[in-house]
Amino acid sequence: MGEGLRYMGTSTVVRDIDFITSLLDGKDALINFYGLSYGSAIGQYLVNMLPERVGHVVIDGVLDAVSWSTVPSYKWERTFLVYTDDVYKLFMSECAKAGPSQCALAMSANESGEDILARVEDFVNNLYYEPLPVPNATAPGILTNGRARVYILNALISPTSWPDAAHDIAQALAGNGTAMLNADNEGLQETKDLERSAVSCNDARPFAPPTPEQVIDEQLYDQAHVSRFSLATVTSEPDAGCQFWPVTPPERFQGPWNRTLKNPMLIISNTLDPATPLTSGQRAQERQGNDSARLLIQDGPGHTSIALPSLCKSKAVRAYFVNDTLPAVGTVCPVDASPFPNATATTQTMSQADRDLLESLIHLTNAIFG
């Protein structure tokens, strides 16, 4: 596997950031950092390993670094998927509001999100007993219940993908699962190797191998009580098996996670993030304390605040980086776009500066989420 494998953990990444910053900006220079998703774990490691080096640090879409580093991965879904099903329900309710002209899953202008959800769930659940043959996929196969769940779970990450996802799901309901299976096959290419395990397992505190019964009992509980997408997460995010990881990293940071920082960090969480819930951002802020961290909440769905543009959030981030201003305690920023954009929506009431900023934010969302 090579000597380099043991250096793939987050603690080593922080040491690299330290070295690069010192090389470019000088010894003991303050570190500026913006971390999205797993990058939020890097940010939490960074500020607690090097609290005296913190300049401007933002973490966005917060992964709970304590769970990441101390809890076996088969137990993660209980705290990571807190709002996943709520995002799914919002997808369907937004589809109903948009109507048949904008959402392919809507069959009439007066049906509810619950109606659309029930129709989609009937289809997905039936795939458990009658998988859908997909002969025209890039890699022909069958659309199973599990693969349909993985497809929908991935769509929840990016609300701007919901119109296309609705079209793909509607095609599958009509008997053509090509688009859904093609998307799933492309996603599998990202998890075919052990590059993610090299990070999560180097970070994980060693633990005794759980019994098969322990793992299954946990997963069945999560599936029944936390999220219908729990098993889809297990099969699509390859973090299991760290009890068998063959190397030991040179450094494995395990805390403390409440260091007093030279400068306060900014934490951003969405109200409905399907992968890194608001509760994780709240825990990170509580651990760091009010003098070292400020939490800004973006009132919208999707994974990280980049998922939908918000002028309020973006101006707060700009103020933090430019003049060290933190948003007021309790700040909640609205989003300025809908997953199903209305063709008649207008930005004419905005200033030209706000219109330009919103256009840039939309470009950023598209660049990251496609």
Side-chain angles (χ1 to χ4, degrees), residues 288-308:
Q288 296 296 159
N290 292 333
D291 291 336
S292 290
R294 183 67 49 82
L295 174 65
L296 181 151
I297 297 173
Q298 179 166 299
D299 188 16
H303 181 41
T304 80
S305 72
I306 309 297
L308 284 175

Side-chain angles (χ1 to χ4, degrees), residues 3 21 26 44 50 71 80 97 149 153 157 179 181 213 218 237 251 258 261 308 359:
E3 176 65 18
T21 302
Q44 290 166 82
L50 303 171
V71 177
F80 285 9
K97 291 177 186 176
R149 289 274 181 228
L153 177 63
I157 295 294
L181 192 60
E213 290 80 7
E218 178 68 23
E237 297 196 354
E251 181 179 14
N258 60 350
L261 310 185
L308 284 175
E359 183 178 356

Side-chain angles (χ1 to χ4, degrees), residues 54-122:
V54 174
H56 299 89
V57 172
V58 177
I59 58 174
D60 185 340
V62 180
L63 175 67
D64 187 342
V66 175
S67 293
W68 171 263
S69 60
T70 64
V71 177
S73 64
Y74 74 92
K75 295 183 178 182
W76 285 350
E77 284 70 39
R78 193 176 293 211
T79 53
F80 285 9
L81 304 184
V82 176
Y83 300 120
T84 310
D85 283 36
D86 291 329
V87 182
Y88 183 31
K89 293 172 184 176
L90 181 66
F91 176 7
M92 299 301 150
S93 66
E94 289 294 310
C95 174
K97 291 177 186 176
S101 64
Q102 293 178 268
C103 181
L105 284 170
M107 297 184 68
S108 66
N110 60 356
E111 71 176 342
S112 67
E114 289 83 359
D115 294 331
I116 301 173
L117 177 64
R119 190 161 59 248
V120 173
E121 280 297 288
D122 284 346

